[in-house]
Amino acid sequence: MPPLSNGSSPPLSWLRSAKYLATMTLRTLSSRVALCLVIIFIALLSFTSVIFSGSSSNDIYYPEILPASNNDQPFNPDPLALLGHRRPLRHSYQELYRLHSKFMLNEDATAPVTVIIRPEDFGDSLSKQIRSLLTQTDQPQAIWIAVAEDQDLTKAQELISSFNDEEEDLGADEEDDEGAETGEGDSEAAETEEEHEERHRIKMRIVSKNDPWWGVARQASSEFFLLLENGVIPGSSYLGTLLRLAHTPEYSRALLGSHGAVLSTIPENFLDSDLDINCLPEQDRNGQVKATETVDVLSDIWFGRTETLQLLSLEPWASTGKAPLSIYLSTMFRYYGSIPSVVVANDPRNLATWGDMRKKTVPSNFCADIKRLYRESGIWHSWIQRGRALVSQYEQLSSVVVFLANIDEAILLKDLICRWSLSPDTSIHVAVAGSSRGLGRKEFAQLLPSADCHVGIYDMRLSHLPYKPTELESIRLASEVSVNSFHILHSLRPKVIFYLQEPNSIFSDGLAIAHARASIPAIALKPEDIEHVRWIPDLPIQALQNWNTPEVKLVVITNNRPGSCIRLLRSLSHAHYLNDKVSLTLNMDAEADRVTIQMAGSFQWEFGEKFMRHRVRRGGLMLAVVEAWYPQGNNEYAVLLEDDVEVSPLFYSWIKYNILKYRYSPDSQLYQNMFGVSMYSQKFVETHLAGRTPFNPEDIFIETPEYELRTPFLLQLPCSWGAVYFPEHWREFHEYVADRLLDIEWNKTSLQSVQIPNSRTNRWSNSWKKLFIEMIYMRGYVMLYPNFFNFTSFSTNHLEWGTHTKQQRNSAGTFLVPLMTDSEKLLDDLPNRRLPDWDSLPVLDLWANLATSAELVKRGRALQEQLNPCLLRNNNKEVIWEGQEKDLKCAKTLPYYSTHTTPLPKTTAAPAIETLSISAIGADPLAAEGVTTYGAGSPSPLPTPPPSAADEDYDYVDTPPAPSYRLSPIPSPTPR
């Protein structure tokens, strides 16, 4: 394969296509035929690579469509010069001359431009045009007069000869002197005359009746071409201005001119309506163009690179019904090469800078002509339907293209598309397969549920798909889908594309190649997922672009409750994962029984990778939770699930919606204090000194008019019965736990106390939630909780016998909540059928009282000031904080600092309280604190007096570890 124009290797997506073609053809045809087809396909890919190769800038793909020019200067794209989601920068004439340009004249001091003129007659008008070109400050390399076969060729040749004779006379004396010195004969003189004739810059080019006059530009050997309509008289420095702009990064890939128009709207019946057109130059400015402007069409003057004319062979002029030049050139360049049409600014005080000096005095009929062309040229209407986007569409900062393969997909998505189109910040475009596939533009327009749906519809015009296509037909059709969708993507430049991914779908395969090639994020869902993503229109475009960025991991913590675990795993298998890859990790403690281990090993997980982890020494529930997950990056999230939890089929939809809404929106910096999203609706608050108290958010919001009754809320409590945790906060929690455990290890008798004022959590022991609450209280962190009718949740807890449940099994029904199963109800219960913006979410403190984020942060800082800051000294012996980034409690005490010269400062905290105790670990320093036993009893005494069954603290008391799982059997649970 020949190298691409930028010297890079062929794109991976196209190589995959070649490999796929080879595999399919070898299955069906003889090896010789298959080899020939593969070679042909690779050759086609080579040509396609030349036409469409390129690079990415600002997350927008800009193709490098052709090889470098003759002077070996790379044909590099620039986002400012191309039609991305914004127009190029607007420059005044003075600003244009301040741009850096690498323009240089040819060796013969001419400019590398061939000028082609289309005369209607051969009188004064053409003479003035030629004279204006011969007086340019930068002389063109050649001037061609395009003469039709039926015009007066003799008169044209006479006029051309007269100008050539003038040029010869200017250098005649010098040529005669050279001839006298050499003494050459007549034959040599005749040869010199032929050479002179060949070197004439002004020549006639005869155009046949069925060919366009501008087609002769393809024969030019110069780097650039300049097309001039009849009568256009450029100013003397105009050509030099164009050449310098063409050698700047900003305008190197633009089609330049001086007259153009922007079609601001595309009414459905625009052939019969009054078009809104902005013409440049504006008629009231007498030909002045104040700043460069990207336009839909150019008129009268076209200046560009000669090599770009190859693009016109992709859709020949004759096949378009001989479309008007002003429409054809701009549309083809934009559609096939992403080359914008730009009207160049001029200096109102200097006519020499103008593209047509006549415009100063002669009123322009350009706007009227363009409107007439729109109405008379049916090809223009057809191109609009097929995705030849207008400049006004590029100004939509948030555009999404939805691809529809057939009528069934259209019916499934029509309501979502319509609602999406009503979003004020998003422009929705729909590309339909075509009438041959049963879904043309008109068919889809009739399906839209409302006339208020603002959707641009484009027809891909795909070929008919046989009921049972052969493999070669499938390959050809997939290629057609890829090419046509690729052109639409390059024309519309969307931020996101959306389509349905069905198994063995030719349409999906072609789209996958196109969007990968165009480097545009894609949302590819299965048809059965659509009813669960009705919330997509609520997401900002930045969140949609990051649809595939979050990586959610399911982490199950289990031990010896196989019945509970299989119930959880089955509920996970019945969930909808929106076509995402989701990994599953099963963490088992050392005491996991054989049934649990076998069940975990044989369980089939179809939605991603499955991992199993088994401890060799008992860790307990605290370490089982803390060490269950450590994020690799800030886009990795974990759903932590104990095995007595059961999840809703919609739990993943809930957490995906929240993560995209609050973590990947433009204001994501505002959400840094949110450490996770709960799947469980809180029915009790555990932090009051009086004990566990019932909690219903309705009681708060019904008395608070500024909040909706069913609004989700932020609560300063972690949820252990199903929640997704965010990576930054979980890493910080690891650091905090390490500091607290190190404090215990170094000081076994006088622990540094962390007491949250008026919190029952101060009495908990051996609980990961106790430490987590300490951290989030000092930080002011919060978790988002659902608030649906009747506590409907995305997870529930069966409160089965285990570490935190010894004698309370009869209260299991108190904590059970109904699971969400209706996607429509999910939206109906949310305020305005959407998640609230961050500043609209109620904030509740540790005790579920209304507060503000600022109040929570202030309280946390007040507690930090009471704690030992773990002082160190710098080289200047100034006291500083250790770990200034997190400025949290540093709990290391005197034994740790015995090797340091810094004395331990006096603590202002209250006396040590019952908390994590090193004695709970036992004689083995490697064993962790008491943790989940899942039915294991213990003959060893607890470090603190055990509470009674009526004491609600009992839910957070752990038993000490058994001496050894293999040496001592697990005692039977105490009968209830």
Side-chain angles (χ1 to χ4, degrees):
M1 179 181 290
L4 304 182
S5 57
N6 59 1
S8 63
S9 59
L12 183 60
S13 59
W14 291 110
L15 293 181
R16 287 174 179 164
S17 301
K19 181 180 178 181
Y20 180 71
L21 173 65
T23 304
M24 294 297 102
T25 51
L26 286 173
R27 289 180 181 176
T28 54
L29 301 176
S30 66
S31 58
R32 179 174 297 180
V33 174
L35 180 60
C36 293
L37 290 173
V38 170
I39 292 173
I40 293 171
F41 187 73
I42 292 176
L44 290 173
L45 291 182
S46 303
F47 171 74
T48 309
S49 298
V50 172
I51 297 297
F52 295 110
S53 60
S55 59
S56 175
S57 177
N58 293 344
D59 295 327
I60 302 173
Y61 176 77
Y62 298 104
E64 183 138 358
I65 58 168
L66 292 165
S69 56
N70 296 333
N71 59 5
D72 294 328
Q73 293 294 326
F75 202 35
N76 293 326
D78 186 275
L80 298 180
L82 298 181
L83 284 174
H85 296 286
R86 294 188 177 92
R87 298 186 187 184
L89 288 180
R90 305 178 77 242
H91 295 97
S92 66
Y93 183 79
Q94 290 73 20
E95 290 170 336
L96 289 177
Y97 261 78
R98 289 197 288 267
L99 297 177
H100 179 66
S101 178
K102 297 182 179 180
F103 168 64
M104 294 182 64
L105 293 172
N106 293 331
E107 293 182 358
D108 60 356
T110 61
V113 182
T114 297
V115 182
I116 297 95
I117 303 174
R118 184 186 73 90
E120 293 182 355
D121 56 52
F122 306 103
D124 292 341
S125 177
L126 178 59
S127 297
K128 291 179 180 179
Q129 281 188 280
I130 297 176
R131 185 75 62 191
S132 67
L133 294 173
L134 294 177
T135 55
Q136 291 287 313
T137 54
D138 295 289
Q139 287 288 296
Q141 177 178 317
I143 302 173
W144 292 354
I145 312 301
V147 182
E149 290 178 329
D150 56 355
Q151 288 184 296
D152 190 343
L153 303 183
T154 302
K155 192 171 183 180
Q157 186 60 55
E158 289 177 356
L159 180 64
I160 293 172
S161 298
S162 65
F163 278 102
N164 286 331
D165 291 343
E166 286 185 17
E167 286 202 293
E168 287 184 7
D169 291 342
L170 293 177
D173 294 340
E174 181 178 351
E175 293 175 3
D176 290 343
D177 293 341
E178 290 178 356
E181 291 176 3
T182 57
E184 299 291 343
D186 292 341
S187 61
E188 188 68 16
E191 183 178 356
T192 302
E193 183 178 348
E194 291 178 359
E195 292 176 352
H196 285 173
E197 183 67 27
E198 182 63 27
R199 287 198 296 268
H200 285 161
R201 287 193 298 159
I202 308 174
K203 298 178 181 179
M204 180 172 62
R205 290 289 184 260
I206 301 176
V207 182
S208 63
K209 180 189 297 185
N210 295 324
D211 292 335
W213 67 270
W214 45 265
V216 299
R218 298 175 183 175
Q219 305 170 18
S221 60
S222 58
E223 184 179 359
F224 297 94
F225 68 87
L226 174 63
L227 305 179
L228 298 179
E229 280 280 13
N230 178 65
V232 174
I233 302 176
S236 59
S237 63
Y238 181 67
L239 183 56
T241 299
L242 296 178
L243 285 164
R244 283 163 179 79
L245 286 182
H247 288 81
T248 64
E250 289 80 2
Y251 296 93
S252 62
R253 287 177 60 90
L255 182 66
L256 303 178
S258 290
H259 317 112
V262 177
L263 183 63
S264 302
T265 59
I266 314 177
E268 182 67 24
N269 58 341
F270 75 86
L271 291 178
D272 301 323
S273 62
D274 187 18
L275 296 178
D276 182 10
I277 292 182
N278 178 28
C279 294
L280 295 172
E282 299 176 17
Q283 295 188 18
D284 59 350
R285 294 189 179 275
N286 296 325
Q288 177 189 352
V289 179
K290 299 180 65 175
T292 55
E293 188 78 25
T294 304
V295 295
D296 290 309
V297 293
L298 288 173
S299 178
D300 296 346
I301 301 172
W302 298 267
F303 176 89
R305 293 179 179 270
T306 306
E307 58 193 2
T308 60
L309 293 172
Q310 299 176 37
L311 293 171
L312 304 181
S313 62
L314 298 175
E315 192 167 349
W317 176 69
S319 68
T320 67
K322 300 182 179 180
L325 180 59
S326 58
I327 298 175
Y328 179 71
L329 283 184
S330 294
T331 305
M332 292 299 102
F333 279 19
R334 180 171 64 246
Y335 185 66
Y336 287 106
S338 294
I339 298 175
S341 297
V342 179
V343 170
V344 178
N346 55 30
D347 185 350
R349 298 166 298 181
N350 185 3
L351 282 177
T353 65
W354 287 36
D356 189 355
M357 294 189 294
R358 301 176 305 163
K359 300 300 182 183
K360 184 70 176 178
T361 56
V362 179
S364 174
N365 295 322
F366 175 59
C367 271
D369 293 340
I370 287 296
K371 289 184 179 182
R372 177 182 53 80
L373 288 176
Y374 286 150
R375 291 185 171 89
E376 294 178 357
S377 177
I379 190 64
W380 176 257
H381 194 187
S382 173
W383 284 341
I384 291 295
Q385 295 178 14
R386 293 179 59 190
R388 270 71 164 181
L390 302 176
V391 170
S392 58
Q393 292 170 298
Y394 291 114
E395 294 181 328
Q396 301 291 339
L397 300 183
S398 304
S399 59
V400 177
V401 176
V402 181
F403 288 90
L404 299 177
N406 50 55
I407 192 71
D408 293 334
E409 292 187 27
I411 294 173
L412 181 62
L413 292 173
K414 60 184 177 63
D415 293 326
L416 179 65
I417 290 172
C418 188
R419 184 177 172 219
W420 211 345
S421 72
L422 300 179
S423 174
D425 301 322
T426 305
S427 174
I428 301 299
H429 310 276
V430 177
V432 295
S435 299
S436 63
R437 302 286 184 94
L439 184 64
R441 185 172 182 268
K442 292 182 179 179
E443 289 85 350
F444 180 72
Q446 293 172 355
L447 287 176
L448 289 174
S450 170
D452 296 329
C453 302
H454 305 296
V455 179
I457 309 173
Y458 308 97
D459 196 329
M460 297 174 67
R461 296 188 178 181
L462 301 178
S463 302
H464 174 69
L465 179 65
Y467 179 69
K468 291 184 178 180
T470 65
E471 293 187 356
L472 285 178
E473 286 177 329
S474 299
I475 294 171
R476 179 182 59 79
L477 292 170
S479 175
E480 184 182 7
V481 172
S482 176
V483 171
N484 289 12
S485 58
F486 184 70
H487 288 161
I488 288 180
L489 294 178
H490 271 273
S491 183
L492 291 174
R493 301 291 178 147
K495 292 287 186 75
V496 178
I497 72 172
F498 182 98
Y499 66 95
L500 295 183
Q501 189 175 58
E502 301 188 55
N504 304 318
S505 169
I506 297 173
F507 193 83
S508 299
D509 293 344
L511 283 177
I513 295 175
H515 84 73
R517 181 73 176 131
S519 300
I520 298 174
I523 301 175
L525 297 177
K526 297 179 179 179
E528 57 267 27
D529 292 328
I530 297 304
E531 63 176 304
H532 309 304
V533 293
R534 302 291 180 185
W535 38 263
I536 277 186
D538 174 46
L539 295 176
I541 197 68
Q542 291 86 344
L544 294 174
Q545 287 180 291
N546 285 282
W547 180 271
N548 302 304
T549 301
E551 182 182 358
V552 178
K553 297 180 178 295
L554 306 181
V555 180
V556 174
I557 301 163
T558 187
N559 194 26
N560 52 10
R561 296 191 296 207
S564 301
C565 189
I566 194 64
R567 178 184 58 213
L568 169 62
L569 294 178
R570 284 174 178 168
S571 69
L572 290 171
S573 295
H574 294 153
H576 305 281
Y577 294 98
L578 311 183
N579 208 24
D580 288 349
K581 292 296 183 182
V582 180
S583 69
L584 172 66
T585 301
L586 296 166
N587 290 313
M588 296 172 287
D589 212 340
E591 291 136 347
D593 55 44
R594 183 173 299 176
V595 176
T596 300
I597 295 175
Q598 290 179 347
M599 179 274 300
S602 62
F603 179 74
Q604 299 297 314
W605 182 248
E606 302 176 355
F607 306 99
E609 295 183 287
K610 187 187 80 173
F611 303 95
M612 292 176 59
R613 298 175 59 191
H614 181 250
R615 296 183 70 101
V616 297
R617 185 182 293 273
R618 180 167 171 255
L621 182 58
M622 178 174 172
L623 290 186
V625 173
V626 176
E627 296 180 352
W629 169 62
Y630 192 82
Q632 298 185 46
N634 289 342
N635 293 314
E636 182 178 302
Y637 304 83
V639 179
L640 302 181
L641 299 165
E642 296 183 32
D643 59 7
D644 58 350
V645 169
E646 184 179 2
V647 302
S648 155
L650 303 178
F651 88 92
Y652 187 81
S653 180
W654 168 252
I655 63 176
K656 177 109 176 180
Y657 184 16
N658 277 272
I659 288 174
L660 291 173
K661 171 82 172 183
Y662 297 118
R663 294 274 295 178
Y664 294 94
S665 70
D667 300 325
S668 58
Q669 295 295 323
L670 299 175
Y671 317 140
Q672 292 183 349
N673 281 358
M674 186 166 73
F675 64 83
V677 178
S678 174
M679 296 151 51
Y680 181 81
S681 296
Q682 201 76 12
K683 295 180 69 176
F684 293 89
V685 175
E686 309 157 315
T687 52
H688 289 284
L689 292 176
R692 182 180 288 130
T693 57
F695 167 70
N696 190 338
E698 285 187 17
D699 299 336
I700 299 175
F701 302 142
I702 201 170
E703 299 178 356
T704 314
E706 59 264 34
Y707 297 122
E708 296 281 348
L709 189 63
R710 294 285 163 224
T711 182
F713 57 91
L714 302 171
L715 178 63
Q716 200 172 26
L717 271 177
C719 178
S720 59
W721 291 347
V724 59
Y725 286 86
F726 296 166
E728 304 92 334
H729 308 86
W730 196 259
R731 277 197 297 267
E732 187 177 4
F733 179 48
H734 266 242
E735 296 176 11
Y736 183 76
V737 171
D739 281 349
R740 295 287 278 118
L741 295 183
L742 188 59
D743 174 60
I744 297 169
E745 181 180 349
W746 280 105
N747 193 338
K748 301 180 182 181
T749 58
S750 178
L751 302 177
Q752 182 160 276
S753 174
V754 179
Q755 287 195 95
I756 298 175
N758 303 316
S759 175
R760 176 171 169 262
T761 60
N762 295 327
R763 296 156 54 187
W764 297 351
S765 63
N766 302 323
S767 167
W768 72 271
K769 283 183 70 175
K770 169 187 168 62
L771 296 183
F772 202 96
I773 289 172
E774 288 178 2
M775 183 192 78
I776 65 176
Y777 183 87
M778 287 190 282
R779 277 302 205 187
Y781 292 157
V782 289
M783 173 173 269
L784 187 139
Y785 279 78
N787 180 22
F788 295 97
F789 175 73
N790 195 28
F791 296 98
T792 303
S793 302
F794 302 92
S795 66
T796 189
N797 184 277
H798 291 275
L799 204 70
E800 295 181 335
W801 194 89
T803 297
H804 295 330
T805 310
K806 303 296 191 302
Q807 302 177 21
Q808 294 180 317
R809 187 66 181 87
N810 293 334
S811 63
T814 306
F815 299 96
L816 282 172
V817 294
L819 292 176
M820 178 72 72
T821 58
D822 187 345
S823 297
E824 201 63 31
K825 179 176 173 56
L826 188 157
L827 286 179
D828 286 341
D829 274 6
L830 289 174
N832 300 316
R833 292 176 57 87
R834 57 189 290 272
L835 282 174
D837 295 333
W838 177 258
D839 53 6
S840 300
L841 289 170
V843 179
L844 307 183
D845 63 14
L846 190 60
W847 301 271
N849 298 317
L850 276 174
T852 64
S853 296
E855 287 180 68
L856 300 187
V857 172
K858 183 178 180 180
R859 294 176 191 175
R861 292 193 178 277
L863 178 59
Q864 290 182 49
E865 293 173 359
Q866 301 175 20
L867 302 177
N868 172 13
C870 272
L871 297 177
L872 294 176
R873 297 182 184 275
N874 58 21
N875 295 333
N876 298 328
K877 296 185 178 181
E878 296 171 340
V879 176
I880 60 172
W881 288 86
E882 179 185 61
Q884 294 184 42
E885 291 184 0
K886 59 181 181 177
D887 64 25
L888 274 181
K889 163 80 172 65
C890 178
K892 301 165 187 174
T893 50
L894 186 58
Y896 176 79
Y897 285 101
S898 59
T899 57
H900 294 261
T901 57
T902 306
L904 181 70
K906 294 181 179 180
T907 178
T908 59
I913 63 168
E914 176 188 316
T915 181
L916 294 173
S917 173
I918 202 70
S919 62
I921 303 176
D924 187 355
L926 297 179
E929 341 26 275
V931 243
T932 310
T933 62
Y934 291 86
S938 175
S940 305
L942 293 172
T944 58
S948 64
D951 189 348
E952 293 168 357
D953 286 335
Y954 190 67
D955 192 32
Y956 289 92
V957 175
D958 226 342
T959 55
S964 170
Y965 172 71
R966 303 190 182 279
L967 297 179
S968 177
I970 301 175
S972 301
T974 304
R976 297 186 296 275

